Amino acid sequence: MIRIAIDGPGGAGKSTIAKAVAKELGIDYIDTGAMYRAVGYKMKKEGISVDDEKRVGAMLEHTEIDFSGGDTLLDGTVVNEEIRTPEIAAAASACAALPAVRSKLVDLQRRMAQTKSVIMDGRDIGTNVLTDAEFKFYMTASAEERAKRRFDELIAKGDSVRYEDVLKDIEERDRNDMTRKLNPLRKAEDAIELDTTSMSISEVTDRIVSEIKRG
Ligand code: DC
């Protein structure tokens, strides 16, 4: 059984790469960002503020998050599209600072990785969720490059956004994720750092797969 942790800021290409590596190695991919997004989405839908920890706690007691065949399920409903908006990205980052949210999701993530080989991506996988993972990677890219990738993705989806706004969102989310008290984003001491600013998807995938095959 192998566990692979990939951490890094938003838009560094973690999920694209993790999916490709999972396919190549024939193991499961767990997108922990999608779990925080699902919680942020449900809070928005139910009109629950991040400041209202009591209501957030009550909501979490009857919240189920799961993955099935590449789909993200929130209380049994597929929410793949709904959670991929800039608004939900910000809501996910905000709710991810709450102890009740982190403890529920981290617990779930550890259980998902208990009985099978997985590649898991997020912000605190190597430093907190799977500290004993056999392989840890920390993937970065400049904020400008990450904003460009996100911008191209949103435009391809038909959204009308401005590059400057996408960059501002990315910088704001970096600040949130890196400065929160509980399990902030940082590189694990034993993680291999990959700056993907001028690397292609297949170059990064090949680099990770070759590290793993080398053992
Ligand atoms: O990877 P992503 O952009 O889908 O993640 C959305 C937000 O969720 C991110 O801004 C911070 C939070 N998150 C987290 O705190 N810990 C993780 N392991 C994964 C995501």
Side-chain angles (χ1 to χ4, degrees):
M1 209 169 81
I2 56 165
R3 266 101 37 86
I4 306 162
I6 302 193
D7 290 301
K14 298 184 301 291
S15 58
T16 309
I17 303 294
K19 255 183 236 159
V21 174
K23 200 166 162 206
E24 180 109 5
L25 301 178
I27 61 176
D28 278 12
Y29 163 53
I30 299 171
D31 176 354
T32 66
M35 300 167 81
Y36 290 93
R37 284 172 184 263
V39 170
Y41 171 72
K42 185 166 176 179
M43 283 169 61
K44 276 231 157 246
K45 220 172 59 166
E46 301 202 345
I48 300 174
S49 147
V50 280
D51 301 324
D52 196 341
E53 288 200 48
K54 221 168 148 191
R55 277 188 79 197
V56 175
M59 182 197 95
L60 290 171
E61 275 174 31
H62 52 89
T63 297
E64 267 182 47
I65 295 168
D66 206 353
F67 296 105
S68 169
D71 288 332
T72 305
L73 301 174
L74 169 65
D75 299 328
T77 303
V78 176
V79 290
N80 302 346
E81 303 288 320
E82 294 85 337
I83 61 172
R84 299 286 154 201
T85 68
E87 196 193 4
I88 298 304
S93 183
C95 81
L98 301 178
V101 173
R102 294 209 78 80
S103 92
K104 170 155 180 146
L105 296 189
V106 168
D107 226 51
L108 199 55
Q109 289 153 13
R110 287 186 180 140
R111 266 188 281 135
M112 287 173 167
Q114 222 162 42
T115 52
K116 58 185 182 199
S117 291
V118 296
I119 180 163
M120 192 180 271
D121 78 345
R123 302 293 186 286
D124 63 335
I125 311 305
T127 55
N128 177 44
V129 181
L130 304 176
T131 46
D132 57 351
E134 286 80 3
F135 297 93
K136 296 182 186 178
F137 297 92
Y138 188 80
M139 211 181 274
T140 61
S142 70
E144 289 75 17
E145 172 66 18
R146 289 184 284 125
K148 187 184 166 295
R149 292 177 189 169
R150 221 357 94 74
F151 174 76
D152 290 346
E153 239 172 63
L154 292 166
I155 293 292
K157 264 204 325 191
D159 290 0
S160 57
V161 286
R162 292 188 333 146
Y163 170 79
E164 293 72 27
D165 293 335
V166 178
L167 178 61
K168 220 174 76 209
D169 283 356
I170 288 248
E171 287 173 338
E172 167 108 31
R173 208 141 66 88
D174 282 359
R175 213 165 20 249
N176 250 341
D177 297 344
M178 290 174 174
T179 61
R180 68 169 177 242
K181 279 210 197 83
L182 208 54
N183 309 125
L185 167 65
R186 61 179 179 80
K187 178 185 164 300
E189 267 171 33
D190 50 350
I192 297 171
E193 184 162 351
L194 293 173
D195 183 341
T196 72
T197 305
S198 43
M199 285 174 90
S200 69
I201 292 170
S202 60
E203 277 174 330
V204 186
T205 307
D206 290 351
R207 173 73 207 286
I208 292 183
V209 170
S210 73
E211 282 292 339
I212 292 163
K213 289 197 170 150
R214 224 154 42 113

